[in-house]
Amino acid sequence: MTRRRLIGSAGAVGAAGLVLGAAGGATGYAATRPDEPTALTAVGSTQVMFHGKHQPGITTPLQACGHLVAFDLVPGAGRKEAAALMRRWSATAGRLMAGGPAISGAADGPDHDTGIALDAGPSSLTVTFGFGRTFFERTGLTDRRPPGLDPLPPFSTDRLDAARSNGDLWVQIGADDALVAFHALRAVQKEAAPAARVRWQMNGFNRSPGATAEPMTARNLMGQVDGTNNPKPAESDFDRRVFVPDAPGASDARDGADAKYDWLAGGSYAVVRRIRMLLDEWEKLPEKRQEQVIGRRKKDGAPLSGGAETTAMDLDKAGSDGRLLIPDNAHARISAPEKNSGAAMLRRPFSYHDGISADGTPDAGLLFICWQADPLRGFVPVQRKLDRGDALSPFIRHEASGLFAVPGGAADGEYVGQRLLES
């Protein structure tokens, strides 16, 4: 097991339920005799548990491959069809995350498994489900829709494509192997029929496990270390910031003790944004100027006020010329929790590259996903501050957006969303 996987699993065990070595062996090649099974690598054998207090894919360490898919219920489909779909999806996700087939039936039956992920272990696969605002209208459950799903306010830098935004249902798939991730994607898409159809799909990636000599914070396509200030599971207020309280009737802090939202206890809210990076313009900047825009050194992610990556930013420190070392409009300064009344969110993004646009520029950037107990206290205040004067704004463009309520994890014998759909 690599050092990275050992550390990653230690940080996520509990809420994500990470276990190692739970999958069977795979047949070797070349010098290995076909009848002598060879143990899976640490990457392939890493398994995340489907059942638990929280859904997987929130505190799970970043995976190498990801798919984000939104679905709309088809005309005529309602609460009954949605419940049946969530039951199918949950069963399929549980099998796949354990390294099993997508289909529980006969291997040669009409609905046999595609075989896309044959020979691979679970590879840290996670499948996470969420409900959009319109889901509650389609299922006749508007009285159970939490205030946290109120529409996000518009921002001046938004250039949103409605066809690639929102949706009744949202699925996040992540894995450390591209074929394992695609296998799960196909299974989810096939199981959606006849209740729902794809509204939009986005595909992303991160650095592969073991690509660095030691565990490191991810870099984005601008080359910047991205995610240093994320809240950590070991912090005393982590659950309060990321997960909806699980006390009965207190699922939405802004709505008081109302039991109609208790289905969301232990869950979270996901804000999803497709953020295009204007890389041609960004890459023209000298490295020193890029660092001033971000407020951190490009080499190691350390704040411009000094220290290492994890050193707290000294926002008042000035240089010999009297100027602040971290500029007033630096992205790291404006988004810092201490500049936003403590507002924080768990950022867990994927990068994306969808080829070259008609104008010859790369269609690439960030599939931004952030998790919080309340988006009006997490994402919204921070984005409002960034909208008013972030030095990074000229180099990015928000092109799609979604907000989803993500229920708590399913207990053994339950499916995700059961407390809502069968209440």
Side-chain angles (χ1 to χ4, degrees), residues 232-293:
K232 308 296 188 294
E235 296 169 354
S236 60
D237 61 351
F238 179 84
D239 281 4
R240 179 181 62 81
R241 290 179 169 190
V242 176
F243 295 111
V244 174
D246 54 6
S251 300
D252 193 300
R254 291 179 292 108
D255 202 61
D258 196 330
K260 65 185 179 181
Y261 305 132
D262 60 4
W263 61 269
L264 192 50
S268 188
Y269 288 95
V271 174
V272 182
R273 309 277 281 187
R274 184 182 191 271
I275 303 176
R276 182 164 177 181
M277 295 175 171
L278 308 182
L279 295 177
D280 284 352
E281 297 304 313
W282 175 256
E283 291 164 2
K284 292 176 183 176
L285 297 182
E287 184 172 303
K288 184 176 181 180
R289 176 59 185 145
Q290 291 180 350
E291 293 177 337
Q292 291 173 333
V293 168

Side-chain angles (χ1 to χ4, degrees), residues 106-198:
D108 57 354
D111 295 321
H112 62 84
D113 187 85
T114 60
I116 297 169
L118 282 177
D119 310 315
S123 302
S124 297
L125 174 68
T126 58
V127 186
T128 316
F129 303 104
F131 303 141
R133 180 177 177 82
T134 51
F135 176 80
F136 296 83
E137 298 167 1
R138 306 271 165 81
T139 56
L141 291 166
T142 53
D143 62 321
R144 307 292 301 280
R145 182 172 60 201
L149 275 182
D150 288 350
L152 297 174
F155 302 103
S156 65
T157 56
D158 285 353
R159 300 293 184 271
L160 304 182
D161 178 358
R164 292 192 294 183
S165 298
N166 302 311
D168 295 342
L169 295 146
W170 175 68
V171 184
Q172 174 193 254
I173 296 168
D176 282 333
D177 179 80
L179 286 179
V180 169
F182 184 78
H183 184 219
L185 174 67
R186 287 296 300 137
V188 166
Q189 290 172 335
K190 290 167 66 176
E191 290 285 0
R197 59 190 174 205
V198 173

Side-chain angles (χ1 to χ4, degrees), residues 339-356:
K339 290 295 182 179
N340 293 278
S341 302
M345 49 201 161
L346 177 64
R347 300 172 69 260
R348 197 177 180 279
F350 292 95
S351 293
Y352 78 88
H353 179 216
D354 290 339
I356 302 298

Side-chain angles (χ1 to χ4, degrees), residues 184-419:
L185 174 67
R186 287 296 300 137
V188 166
Q189 290 172 335
K190 290 167 66 176
E191 290 285 0
R197 59 190 174 205
V198 173
R199 177 181 177 88
W200 55 259
Q201 178 186 320
M202 301 175 189
N203 310 310
F205 57 90
N206 283 306
R207 177 175 277 151
S208 297
T212 58
E214 58 184 20
M216 296 181 66
T217 307
R219 289 186 183 271
N220 60 35
L221 297 188
M222 288 179 162
Q224 302 294 145
V225 174
D226 192 347
T228 300
N229 265 349
N230 257 344
K232 308 296 188 294
E235 296 169 354
S236 60
D237 61 351
F238 179 84
D239 281 4
R240 179 181 62 81
R241 290 179 169 190
V242 176
F243 295 111
V244 174
D246 54 6
S251 300
D252 193 300
R254 291 179 292 108
D255 202 61
D258 196 330
K260 65 185 179 181
Y261 305 132
D262 60 4
W263 61 269
L264 192 50
S268 188
Y269 288 95
V271 174
V272 182
R273 309 277 281 187
R274 184 182 191 271
I275 303 176
R276 182 164 177 181
M277 295 175 171
L278 308 182
L279 295 177
D280 284 352
E281 297 304 313
W282 175 256
E283 291 164 2
K284 292 176 183 176
L285 297 182
E287 184 172 303
K288 184 176 181 180
R289 176 59 185 145
Q290 291 180 350
E291 293 177 337
Q292 291 173 333
V293 168
I294 300 299
R296 291 183 174 274
R297 291 200 302 252
K298 192 168 188 178
K299 178 181 178 180
D300 57 8
L304 296 184
S305 54
E309 179 191 348
T310 56
T311 301
M313 291 185 293
D314 186 345
L315 298 177
D316 298 321
K317 189 174 182 179
S320 57
D321 58 0
R323 295 182 179 180
L324 291 169
L325 292 178
I326 301 177
D328 278 333
N329 62 349
H331 182 78
R333 172 186 289 274
I334 295 176
S335 61
E338 54 266 43
K339 290 295 182 179
N340 293 278
S341 302
M345 49 201 161
L346 177 64
R347 300 172 69 260
R348 197 177 180 279
F350 292 95
S351 293
Y352 78 88
H353 179 216
D354 290 339
I356 302 298
S357 299
D359 61 3
T361 60
D363 185 2
L366 197 70
L367 300 181
F368 174 91
I369 309 162
C370 69
W371 300 90
Q372 60 259 284
D374 182 348
L376 289 185
R377 292 176 178 170
F379 172 79
V380 172
V382 176
Q383 187 59 31
R384 278 177 171 155
K385 288 282 292 289
L386 292 171
D387 198 43
R388 291 197 293 265
D390 179 15
L392 186 61
S393 291
F395 304 98
I396 60 175
R397 188 162 61 226
H398 291 238
E399 296 184 336
S401 178
L403 172 61
F404 304 94
V406 176
D412 286 340
E414 288 185 344
Y415 62 86
V416 174
Q418 184 170 332
R419 282 171 284 171

Side-chain angles (χ1 to χ4, degrees), residues 16-29:
L18 199 71
V19 297
L20 299 178
T27 301
Y29 294 92

Side-chain angles (χ1 to χ4, degrees), residues 87-111:
R87 190 179 295 109
R88 294 196 302 273
W89 270 352
S90 296
T92 297
R95 287 191 296 270
L96 291 173
M97 286 175 55
I103 305 299
S104 60
D108 57 354
D111 295 321

